[in-house]
Amino acid sequence: MKLIFRGHDDRYALEQSLLAFFPEERPVYETPLPGDDYAEVTWSQGQAYLTAVTLLSYQGKTARGVSRERLDPALDGYEAERQRQKLLKLSFFKAARELTGQAPSWGALTGIRPGKIARTMLEQGMTERQTDRVLRDTYFVSAERRQLALETARAGLKAKQELKPEDISLYVGIPFCPTRCAYCSFVSQSVERSFHLMEPYLEVLMQEITEAARMVQETGLRIKSFYMGGGTPTTLSAGQMDRLLTHLNRSFDLSGCKEYCIEAGRPDTIDREKLQVLLDHGTDRISVNPQSLEEHVLAAIGRRHSPHQIEEAMALATSMGFAHVNMDLIAGLPEDTPAGFRRTLDACLTYGADNITVHTLSLKKGSRILLEKLTIPSAEDVAQMLNYANEALRAAHFTPYYLYRQKYMSGSFENVGWCISGAEGLYNIYIMEELHSILSLGAGGSTKMVDPVRNRIERVFHTKYPNEYIQRPEKIAENLSAFRRFHESMR
């Protein structure tokens, strides 16, 4: 669909609105020809009011949406930008709803963190009932999604109250996997192709750990939570993992660390020796990520393990004494069905996990699903999967505690972390609610620097690929220096 902007250039906000209603469309920034589908989105500021108008033409039908608010000169630049984006998205929502006769479950909300929006309203003094009313009447969010937003907002508030100004989280990335999954868009290397890079990568990573630990100590910061992700960290051998974690634990002061989490990820990378190494180094939380227990679905996404291996991995993990074990599932995988997803979730509820994260398939550029045009379930089927997850997990005494959305998600839905009470993963809350800084080490990640007092967030991005990471030590130094400067400026 062709997009025409007048008086603004808020591409990201409007592209998200477009995808929510027309997931098959992609934005094109060209002047429309007669008969073209298009959206003309206009922004204007008068003496008293701000106005956004969307004129939408799609498959021979047209609709118009208008959103308006009184001008507030007291708003700073950031707040004014947020207000403009809100009005633009609302105008598009109204036009698209009129034209299609439908509305996404999240209404006019298109951002990554709807729970953070609810938490902010609660922090500003609104009651939960008032917050629910704003989500309903201003943003047109469905009852089920409003409940998710409020529940995750409560978890965010609780986590924030327990933080101190010097607290940060630490992330270490291991960008290697046994094979590349069809849905994956993460920067990760199959060990079949890049085994020779693992040892050089670890050498550089351990040097970065040394330098980062020195910087954290000199800046007076404290590690509140640690998370190792990827990729699949347990692609490393037991010896490699032991060497890496020994160096990490000796380098950083982890006496204030409340959570030590490592993604075990793929069941075909898990064995007793590796899990014992994790336990020996203080790991209290792991994640085993089957995504599905349907054999034909695993084959379609390129997984080389069986459902039985997942069951065996979970039995091993829960028997060895880890305090918390998470399982990741994805609704909407190629070749899956609502019935197949139900079977997967029902089985996972018997395996002893106290965290279950239900993702919605995100059709990212570069994933094999798009490149090979694999068949995926419809948005209606994905909705059935998520509705069943909501009912089944609540019946099993799980509650939602963190929430986020991504681009190109089936049905414009969400990813939700569910847990038994008291088993919340702190790192997940910290990063999704943007409660404090996340120092990222290794390739493929990004460091997020958060100043909650001044409402300021900055990011530095790391080199994408292991080979590039190994060859560019100056980029590592630049990122650590940026982190130091940001936190020294907060004093």
Side-chain angles (χ1 to χ4, degrees), residues 82-120:
R82 299 289 292 178
Q83 183 186 38
R84 183 183 68 249
Q85 291 177 352
K86 181 185 79 170
L87 294 176
L88 290 169
K89 290 187 289 186
L90 281 169
S91 74
F92 188 99
F93 172 87
K94 292 174 181 178
R97 182 181 59 177
E98 178 185 334
L99 190 145
T100 64
Q102 299 177 348
S105 296
W106 283 104
L109 287 183
T110 61
I112 296 172
R113 300 173 175 83
K116 182 180 177 181
I117 293 173
R119 175 175 61 80
T120 300

mmCIF file of all heavy atoms in Angstrom, residues 82-120:
data_model
loop_
_atom_site.group_PDB
_atom_site.id
_atom_site.type_symbol
_atom_site.label_atom_id
_atom_site.label_comp_id
_atom_site.label_asym_id
_atom_site.label_seq_id
_atom_site.Cartn_x
_atom_site.Cartn_y
_atom_site.Cartn_z
ATOM 1 N N ARG A 82 5.307 11.896 21.261
ATOM 2 C CA ARG A 82 4.434 10.775 21.608
ATOM 3 C C ARG A 82 2.974 11.117 21.338
ATOM 4 O O ARG A 82 2.210 10.278 20.853
ATOM 5 C CB ARG A 82 4.614 10.418 23.083
ATOM 6 C CG ARG A 82 6.019 9.991 23.465
ATOM 7 C CD ARG A 82 6.385 8.646 22.926
ATOM 8 N NE ARG A 82 5.636 7.582 23.547
ATOM 9 C CZ ARG A 82 5.751 6.298 23.225
ATOM 10 N NH1 ARG A 82 6.575 5.953 22.259
ATOM 11 N NH2 ARG A 82 5.037 5.375 23.829
ATOM 12 N N GLN A 83 2.583 12.345 21.648
ATOM 13 C CA GLN A 83 1.207 12.759 21.403
ATOM 14 C C GLN A 83 0.901 12.753 19.903
ATOM 15 O O GLN A 83 -0.164 12.296 19.472
ATOM 16 C CB GLN A 83 0.953 14.150 21.989
ATOM 17 C CG GLN A 83 -0.487 14.626 21.833
ATOM 18 C CD GLN A 83 -0.664 16.050 22.296
ATOM 19 O OE1 GLN A 83 0.200 16.897 22.087
ATOM 20 N NE2 GLN A 83 -1.793 16.331 22.950
ATOM 21 N N ARG A 84 1.832 13.264 19.103
ATOM 22 C CA ARG A 84 1.624 13.288 17.654
ATOM 23 C C ARG A 84 1.460 11.869 17.107
ATOM 24 O O ARG A 84 0.537 11.594 16.330
ATOM 25 C CB ARG A 84 2.792 13.983 16.957
ATOM 26 C CG ARG A 84 2.603 14.108 15.455
ATOM 27 C CD ARG A 84 3.807 14.727 14.768
ATOM 28 N NE ARG A 84 4.986 13.866 14.791
ATOM 29 C CZ ARG A 84 6.082 14.106 15.489
ATOM 30 N NH1 ARG A 84 6.177 15.189 16.234
ATOM 31 N NH2 ARG A 84 7.111 13.263 15.455
ATOM 32 N N GLN A 85 2.340 10.971 17.531
ATOM 33 C CA GLN A 85 2.255 9.599 17.041
ATOM 34 C C GLN A 85 0.946 8.940 17.469
ATOM 35 O O GLN A 85 0.331 8.189 16.691
ATOM 36 C CB GLN A 85 3.453 8.793 17.545
ATOM 37 C CG GLN A 85 4.767 9.216 16.919
ATOM 38 C CD GLN A 85 5.952 8.469 17.483
ATOM 39 O OE1 GLN A 85 5.836 7.724 18.461
ATOM 40 N NE2 GLN A 85 7.114 8.653 16.877
ATOM 41 N N LYS A 86 0.515 9.209 18.684
ATOM 42 C CA LYS A 86 -0.750 8.632 19.153
ATOM 43 C C LYS A 86 -1.913 9.085 18.273
ATOM 44 O O LYS A 86 -2.739 8.267 17.843
ATOM 45 C CB LYS A 86 -1.005 9.039 20.607
ATOM 46 C CG LYS A 86 -2.302 8.466 21.175
ATOM 47 C CD LYS A 86 -2.584 8.976 22.567
ATOM 48 C CE LYS A 86 -3.163 10.378 22.550
ATOM 49 N NZ LYS A 86 -3.656 10.799 23.877
ATOM 50 N N LEU A 87 -1.977 10.374 17.994
ATOM 51 C CA LEU A 87 -3.082 10.895 17.186
ATOM 52 C C LEU A 87 -3.032 10.375 15.755
ATOM 53 O O LEU A 87 -4.073 10.058 15.165
ATOM 54 C CB LEU A 87 -3.063 12.423 17.202
ATOM 55 C CG LEU A 87 -3.350 13.081 18.559
ATOM 56 C CD1 LEU A 87 -3.210 14.592 18.459
ATOM 57 C CD2 LEU A 87 -4.733 12.703 19.067
ATOM 58 N N LEU A 88 -1.838 10.288 15.187
ATOM 59 C CA LEU A 88 -1.712 9.756 13.831
ATOM 60 C C LEU A 88 -2.205 8.314 13.770
ATOM 61 O O LEU A 88 -2.958 7.931 12.854
ATOM 62 C CB LEU A 88 -0.257 9.841 13.368
ATOM 63 C CG LEU A 88 0.290 11.238 13.098
ATOM 64 C CD1 LEU A 88 1.804 11.191 12.921
ATOM 65 C CD2 LEU A 88 -0.359 11.861 11.862
ATOM 66 N N LYS A 89 -1.781 7.490 14.736
ATOM 67 C CA LYS A 89 -2.194 6.094 14.736
ATOM 68 C C LYS A 89 -3.692 5.950 14.973
ATOM 69 O O LYS A 89 -4.345 5.079 14.381
ATOM 70 C CB LYS A 89 -1.400 5.321 15.795
ATOM 71 C CG LYS A 89 0.071 5.141 15.430
ATOM 72 C CD LYS A 89 0.815 4.239 16.385
ATOM 73 C CE LYS A 89 1.029 4.865 17.739
ATOM 74 N NZ LYS A 89 1.875 4.028 18.613
ATOM 75 N N LEU A 90 -4.241 6.789 15.837
ATOM 76 C CA LEU A 90 -5.683 6.739 16.072
ATOM 77 C C LEU A 90 -6.467 7.113 14.825
ATOM 78 O O LEU A 90 -7.509 6.500 14.527
ATOM 79 C CB LEU A 90 -6.054 7.677 17.227
ATOM 80 C CG LEU A 90 -5.795 7.158 18.640
ATOM 81 C CD1 LEU A 90 -5.960 8.277 19.651
ATOM 82 C CD2 LEU A 90 -6.723 5.992 18.969
ATOM 83 N N SER A 91 -5.999 8.087 14.075
ATOM 84 C CA SER A 91 -6.709 8.463 12.846
ATOM 85 C C SER A 91 -6.679 7.320 11.839
ATOM 86 O O SER A 91 -7.684 7.030 11.174
ATOM 87 C CB SER A 91 -6.119 9.744 12.248
ATOM 88 O OG SER A 91 -4.867 9.517 11.633
ATOM 89 N N PHE A 92 -5.528 6.647 11.723
ATOM 90 C CA PHE A 92 -5.434 5.508 10.810
ATOM 91 C C PHE A 92 -6.345 4.383 11.291
ATOM 92 O O PHE A 92 -7.057 3.748 10.495
ATOM 93 C CB PHE A 92 -3.991 5.010 10.716
ATOM 94 C CG PHE A 92 -3.783 3.955 9.660
ATOM 95 C CD1 PHE A 92 -3.269 4.305 8.424
ATOM 96 C CD2 PHE A 92 -4.119 2.627 9.887
ATOM 97 C CE1 PHE A 92 -3.088 3.345 7.437
ATOM 98 C CE2 PHE A 92 -3.949 1.670 8.913
ATOM 99 C CZ PHE A 92 -3.430 2.022 7.677
ATOM 100 N N PHE A 93 -6.337 4.130 12.593
ATOM 101 C CA PHE A 93 -7.179 3.076 13.161
ATOM 102 C C PHE A 93 -8.647 3.320 12.831
ATOM 103 O O PHE A 93 -9.369 2.406 12.405
ATOM 104 C CB PHE A 93 -6.980 3.017 14.679
ATOM 105 C CG PHE A 93 -7.932 2.095 15.380
ATOM 106 C CD1 PHE A 93 -7.638 0.752 15.520
ATOM 107 C CD2 PHE A 93 -9.130 2.562 15.905
ATOM 108 C CE1 PHE A 93 -8.525 -0.115 16.155
ATOM 109 C CE2 PHE A 93 -10.012 1.714 16.543
ATOM 110 C CZ PHE A 93 -9.703 0.369 16.666
ATOM 111 N N LYS A 94 -9.114 4.533 13.032
ATOM 112 C CA LYS A 94 -10.528 4.832 12.793
ATOM 113 C C LYS A 94 -10.898 4.639 11.323
ATOM 114 O O LYS A 94 -11.964 4.098 11.003
ATOM 115 C CB LYS A 94 -10.830 6.255 13.251
ATOM 116 C CG LYS A 94 -10.747 6.437 14.761
ATOM 117 C CD LYS A 94 -10.924 7.905 15.152
ATOM 118 C CE LYS A 94 -10.814 8.091 16.664
ATOM 119 N NZ LYS A 94 -10.930 9.514 17.067
ATOM 120 N N ALA A 95 -10.016 5.070 10.427
ATOM 121 C CA ALA A 95 -10.292 4.897 9.006
ATOM 122 C C ALA A 95 -10.296 3.419 8.624
ATOM 123 O O ALA A 95 -11.191 2.953 7.901
ATOM 124 C CB ALA A 95 -9.266 5.665 8.180
ATOM 125 N N ALA A 96 -9.310 2.673 9.114
ATOM 126 C CA ALA A 96 -9.207 1.259 8.754
ATOM 127 C C ALA A 96 -10.343 0.447 9.369
ATOM 128 O O ALA A 96 -10.857 -0.485 8.737
ATOM 129 C CB ALA A 96 -7.856 0.710 9.210
ATOM 130 N N ARG A 97 -10.752 0.789 10.576
ATOM 131 C CA ARG A 97 -11.872 0.080 11.197
ATOM 132 C C ARG A 97 -13.167 0.319 10.418
ATOM 133 O O ARG A 97 -13.955 -0.603 10.196
ATOM 134 C CB ARG A 97 -12.042 0.531 12.650
ATOM 135 C CG ARG A 97 -13.153 -0.178 13.401
ATOM 136 C CD ARG A 97 -13.279 0.315 14.812
ATOM 137 N NE ARG A 97 -13.551 1.749 14.871
ATOM 138 C CZ ARG A 97 -13.771 2.414 16.001
ATOM 139 N NH1 ARG A 97 -13.718 1.776 17.164
ATOM 140 N NH2 ARG A 97 -14.001 3.710 15.985
ATOM 141 N N GLU A 98 -13.361 1.566 9.998
ATOM 142 C CA GLU A 98 -14.558 1.869 9.207
ATOM 143 C C GLU A 98 -14.540 1.117 7.881
ATOM 144 O O GLU A 98 -15.566 0.584 7.431
ATOM 145 C CB GLU A 98 -14.640 3.379 8.949
ATOM 146 C CG GLU A 98 -15.833 3.791 8.092
ATOM 147 C CD GLU A 98 -15.826 5.270 7.757
ATOM 148 O OE1 GLU A 98 -15.246 6.058 8.531
ATOM 149 O OE2 GLU A 98 -16.377 5.641 6.699
ATOM 150 N N LEU A 99 -13.376 1.050 7.244
ATOM 151 C CA LEU A 99 -13.284 0.431 5.926
ATOM 152 C C LEU A 99 -13.423 -1.091 5.999
ATOM 153 O O LEU A 99 -14.087 -1.706 5.159
ATOM 154 C CB LEU A 99 -11.960 0.820 5.276
ATOM 155 C CG LEU A 99 -11.790 0.454 3.802
ATOM 156 C CD1 LEU A 99 -10.985 1.518 3.083
ATOM 157 C CD2 LEU A 99 -11.094 -0.894 3.660
ATOM 158 N N THR A 100 -12.788 -1.714 7.008
ATOM 159 C CA THR A 100 -12.770 -3.180 7.078
ATOM 160 C C THR A 100 -13.889 -3.758 7.933
ATOM 161 O O THR A 100 -14.212 -4.944 7.806
ATOM 162 C CB THR A 100 -11.433 -3.675 7.656
ATOM 163 O OG1 THR A 100 -11.303 -3.218 9.024
ATOM 164 C CG2 THR A 100 -10.257 -3.169 6.828
ATOM 165 N N GLY A 101 -14.446 -2.941 8.840
ATOM 166 C CA GLY A 101 -15.443 -3.457 9.769
ATOM 167 C C GLY A 101 -14.843 -4.312 10.859
ATOM 168 O O GLY A 101 -15.560 -4.996 11.599
ATOM 169 N N GLN A 102 -13.514 -4.282 11.015
ATOM 170 C CA GLN A 102 -12.831 -5.091 12.017
ATOM 171 C C GLN A 102 -11.855 -4.227 12.808
ATOM 172 O O GLN A 102 -11.513 -3.119 12.394
ATOM 173 C CB GLN A 102 -12.079 -6.245 11.352
ATOM 174 C CG GLN A 102 -12.969 -7.198 10.583
ATOM 175 C CD GLN A 102 -12.172 -8.277 9.879
ATOM 176 O OE1 GLN A 102 -10.948 -8.199 9.778
ATOM 177 N NE2 GLN A 102 -12.864 -9.305 9.393
ATOM 178 N N ALA A 103 -11.409 -4.770 13.945
ATOM 179 C CA ALA A 103 -10.410 -4.072 14.758
ATOM 180 C C ALA A 103 -9.471 -5.098 15.375
ATOM 181 O O ALA A 103 -9.926 -6.130 15.869
ATOM 182 C CB ALA A 103 -11.074 -3.250 15.853
ATOM 183 N N PRO A 104 -8.153 -4.858 15.358
ATOM 184 C CA PRO A 104 -7.216 -5.767 16.013
ATOM 185 C C PRO A 104 -7.477 -5.835 17.521
ATOM 186 O O PRO A 104 -8.040 -4.908 18.110
ATOM 187 C CB PRO A 104 -5.850 -5.133 15.729
ATOM 188 C CG PRO A 104 -6.076 -4.167 14.619
ATOM 189 C CD PRO A 104 -7.485 -3.701 14.744
ATOM 190 N N SER A 105 -7.046 -6.931 18.134
ATOM 191 C CA SER A 105 -7.257 -7.104 19.575
ATOM 192 C C SER A 105 -6.604 -5.996 20.395
ATOM 193 O O SER A 105 -7.099 -5.631 21.462
ATOM 194 C CB SER A 105 -6.709 -8.458 20.027
ATOM 195 O OG SER A 105 -7.409 -9.510 19.423
ATOM 196 N N TRP A 106 -5.487 -5.464 19.890
ATOM 197 C CA TRP A 106 -4.788 -4.404 20.594
ATOM 198 C C TRP A 106 -5.261 -3.025 20.154
ATOM 199 O O TRP A 106 -4.647 -2.019 20.515
ATOM 200 C CB TRP A 106 -3.280 -4.534 20.421
ATOM 201 C CG TRP A 106 -2.697 -5.615 21.278
ATOM 202 C CD1 TRP A 106 -2.280 -6.851 20.889
ATOM 203 C CD2 TRP A 106 -2.512 -5.572 22.696
ATOM 204 N NE1 TRP A 106 -1.836 -7.578 21.968
ATOM 205 C CE2 TRP A 106 -1.962 -6.810 23.090
ATOM 206 C CE3 TRP A 106 -2.745 -4.601 23.673
ATOM 207 C CZ2 TRP A 106 -1.660 -7.111 24.412
ATOM 208 C CZ3 TRP A 106 -2.443 -4.896 24.996
ATOM 209 C CH2 TRP A 106 -1.905 -6.130 25.358
ATOM 210 N N GLY A 107 -6.335 -2.963 19.408
ATOM 211 C CA GLY A 107 -6.891 -1.682 19.020
ATOM 212 C C GLY A 107 -5.894 -0.827 18.277
ATOM 213 O O GLY A 107 -5.225 -1.276 17.349
ATOM 214 N N ALA A 108 -5.773 0.433 18.707
ATOM 215 C CA ALA A 108 -4.859 1.372 18.053
ATOM 216 C C ALA A 108 -3.450 1.308 18.615
ATOM 217 O O ALA A 108 -2.566 2.033 18.150
ATOM 218 C CB ALA A 108 -5.400 2.793 18.179
ATOM 219 N N LEU A 109 -3.207 0.461 19.620
ATOM 220 C CA LEU A 109 -1.859 0.336 20.174
ATOM 221 C C LEU A 109 -0.989 -0.476 19.219
ATOM 222 O O LEU A 109 -1.342 -1.590 18.844
ATOM 223 C CB LEU A 109 -1.893 -0.356 21.536
ATOM 224 C CG LEU A 109 -2.447 0.444 22.718
ATOM 225 C CD1 LEU A 109 -2.340 -0.379 23.997
ATOM 226 C CD2 LEU A 109 -1.690 1.761 22.886
ATOM 227 N N THR A 110 0.138 0.067 18.850
ATOM 228 C CA THR A 110 1.041 -0.629 17.944
ATOM 229 C C THR A 110 2.431 -0.818 18.527
ATOM 230 O O THR A 110 3.272 -1.459 17.910
ATOM 231 C CB THR A 110 1.182 0.145 16.616
ATOM 232 O OG1 THR A 110 1.729 1.438 16.889
ATOM 233 C CG2 THR A 110 -0.156 0.282 15.919
ATOM 234 N N GLY A 111 2.705 -0.275 19.694
ATOM 235 C CA GLY A 111 4.054 -0.310 20.247
ATOM 236 C C GLY A 111 4.461 -1.681 20.749
ATOM 237 O O GLY A 111 3.650 -2.605 20.868
ATOM 238 N N ILE A 112 5.722 -1.800 21.073
ATOM 239 C CA ILE A 112 6.297 -3.059 21.546
ATOM 240 C C ILE A 112 5.825 -3.386 22.956
ATOM 241 O O ILE A 112 5.649 -4.552 23.297
ATOM 242 C CB ILE A 112 7.833 -2.974 21.517
ATOM 243 C CG1 ILE A 112 8.322 -2.812 20.072
ATOM 244 C CG2 ILE A 112 8.482 -4.196 22.147
ATOM 245 C CD1 ILE A 112 9.798 -2.519 19.953
ATOM 246 N N ARG A 113 5.594 -2.374 23.787
ATOM 247 C CA ARG A 113 5.401 -2.576 25.228
ATOM 248 C C ARG A 113 4.063 -2.032 25.730
ATOM 249 O O ARG A 113 4.021 -1.025 26.429
ATOM 250 C CB ARG A 113 6.547 -1.907 25.992
ATOM 251 C CG ARG A 113 7.908 -2.465 25.636
ATOM 252 C CD ARG A 113 9.035 -1.686 26.265
ATOM 253 N NE ARG A 113 10.298 -2.325 25.984
ATOM 254 C CZ ARG A 113 10.996 -2.165 24.865
ATOM 255 N NH1 ARG A 113 10.535 -1.346 23.931
ATOM 256 N NH2 ARG A 113 12.128 -2.809 24.669
ATOM 257 N N PRO A 114 2.954 -2.699 25.455
ATOM 258 C CA PRO A 114 1.672 -2.211 25.969
ATOM 259 C C PRO A 114 1.586 -2.255 27.491
ATOM 260 O O PRO A 114 0.909 -1.430 28.105
ATOM 261 C CB PRO A 114 0.642 -3.147 25.323
ATOM 262 C CG PRO A 114 1.413 -4.332 24.868
ATOM 263 C CD PRO A 114 2.795 -3.862 24.567
ATOM 264 N N GLY A 115 2.280 -3.212 28.121
ATOM 265 C CA GLY A 115 2.285 -3.266 29.584
ATOM 266 C C GLY A 115 2.939 -2.043 30.193
ATOM 267 O O GLY A 115 2.518 -1.567 31.250
ATOM 268 N N LYS A 116 3.968 -1.514 29.517
ATOM 269 C CA LYS A 116 4.641 -0.318 30.015
ATOM 270 C C LYS A 116 3.700 0.885 29.959
ATOM 271 O O LYS A 116 3.738 1.746 30.848
ATOM 272 C CB LYS A 116 5.902 -0.046 29.203
ATOM 273 C CG LYS A 116 6.700 1.151 29.685
ATOM 274 C CD LYS A 116 7.941 1.377 28.839
ATOM 275 C CE LYS A 116 8.694 2.632 29.305
ATOM 276 N NZ LYS A 116 9.893 2.893 28.479
ATOM 277 N N ILE A 117 2.857 0.948 28.932
ATOM 278 C CA ILE A 117 1.881 2.040 28.838
ATOM 279 C C ILE A 117 0.946 2.000 30.032
ATOM 280 O O ILE A 117 0.664 3.021 30.669
ATOM 281 C CB ILE A 117 1.101 1.929 27.515
ATOM 282 C CG1 ILE A 117 2.034 2.192 26.331
ATOM 283 C CG2 ILE A 117 -0.075 2.907 27.498
ATOM 284 C CD1 ILE A 117 1.400 1.953 24.985
ATOM 285 N N ALA A 118 0.460 0.795 30.366
ATOM 286 C CA ALA A 118 -0.435 0.659 31.519
ATOM 287 C C ALA A 118 0.288 0.992 32.820
ATOM 288 O O ALA A 118 -0.256 1.669 33.696
ATOM 289 C CB ALA A 118 -0.999 -0.757 31.571
ATOM 290 N N ARG A 119 1.535 0.525 32.944
ATOM 291 C CA ARG A 119 2.296 0.813 34.169
ATOM 292 C C ARG A 119 2.516 2.305 34.346
ATOM 293 O O ARG A 119 2.411 2.829 35.464
ATOM 294 C CB ARG A 119 3.646 0.086 34.132
ATOM 295 C CG ARG A 119 4.549 0.427 35.317
ATOM 296 C CD ARG A 119 5.823 -0.391 35.307
ATOM 297 N NE ARG A 119 6.632 -0.184 34.130
ATOM 298 C CZ ARG A 119 7.449 0.844 33.941
ATOM 299 N NH1 ARG A 119 7.549 1.796 34.866
ATOM 300 N NH2 ARG A 119 8.181 0.926 32.842
ATOM 301 N N THR A 120 2.806 3.006 33.262
ATOM 302 C CA THR A 120 3.025 4.446 33.346
ATOM 303 C C THR A 120 1.777 5.160 33.831
ATOM 304 O O THR A 120 1.850 6.076 34.663
ATOM 305 C CB THR A 120 3.447 4.991 31.968
ATOM 306 O OG1 THR A 120 4.664 4.345 31.567
ATOM 307 C CG2 THR A 120 3.679 6.491 32.022
#
